[in-house]
Amino acid sequence: SLGVGDSVLSNESTGYSNTAFGDLSLSSETNGYGNTVLGMNAASAQNGSNNNTVIGYGARLNATGGSDNVIVGRSAAQTQGSTNYNIAIGAEAGYASTSSGTIYIGYQSGRYKNGLQNTACGHQSQYSGSATGSANNTSYRNSSFGSWALRLVQGGTSHENSAFGTFALQTL
């Protein structure tokens, strides 16, 4: 493993093939492998995770586990938990998402989404379950493309919707 920065890989014991650059990046990882992390505080709580690519200040900051994720952007997937197979690209994309198999591309897309296998592309696309930023939205298998598309999908009953275009199905 290779680390550059204060407290980088400071707890690694049996982990291997990890690369981390930026103060506190991968600082809690003890036994994970194949992770590439760039950015201060990036993936700093992660432990036992494999094959993640994390780039950006505070990206995956509080995520504790999970593997095979691609996270790029400031605070992207910050509270992701132990989820797998996610892509989050953009500042705060997938910020509080705790589900696996999601794709969020764009500023704050999927910011408060918790449903499985959602795809959102566009500024604040599938942002939240409510105007106040509820993080308990568990709707799943929704696809949205365009700024604010499916932005305020309500609760856990809006499943398998497709929205294309700016403001498409903004409130559902």
Side-chain angles (χ1 to χ4, degrees), residues 62-132:
N62 297 313
T64 55
S67 297
D68 299 304
N69 296 292
V70 176
I71 311 299
V72 179
R74 177 193 48 80
S75 299
Q78 189 172 64
T79 57
Q80 191 177 51
S82 293
T83 62
N84 305 306
Y85 320 117
N86 296 295
I87 298 171
I89 300 174
E92 299 180 20
Y95 179 89
S97 176
T98 57
S99 297
S100 294
T102 62
I103 300 171
Y104 298 124
I105 300 173
Y107 173 71
Q108 292 185 336
S109 66
R111 189 174 199 277
Y112 292 108
K113 253 342 230 152
N114 286 323
L116 293 168
Q117 301 166 344
N118 289 301
T119 301
C121 183
H123 178 93
Q124 292 188 342
S125 181
Q126 292 190 47
Y127 173 82
S128 146
S130 73
T132 59

Side-chain angles (χ1 to χ4, degrees), residues 9-10 44 53 87 90 97 126:
L9 292 167
S10 56
S44 60
T53 301
I87 298 171
S97 176
Q126 292 190 47

Side-chain angles (χ1 to χ4, degrees), residues 13-39:
S13 59
T14 59
Y16 59 92
S17 298
N18 293 303
T19 305
F21 294 94
D23 291 352
L24 300 170
S25 63
L26 278 182
S27 57
S28 296
E29 187 65 67
T30 60
N31 60 353
Y33 61 85
N35 297 293
T36 302
V37 178
L38 304 170

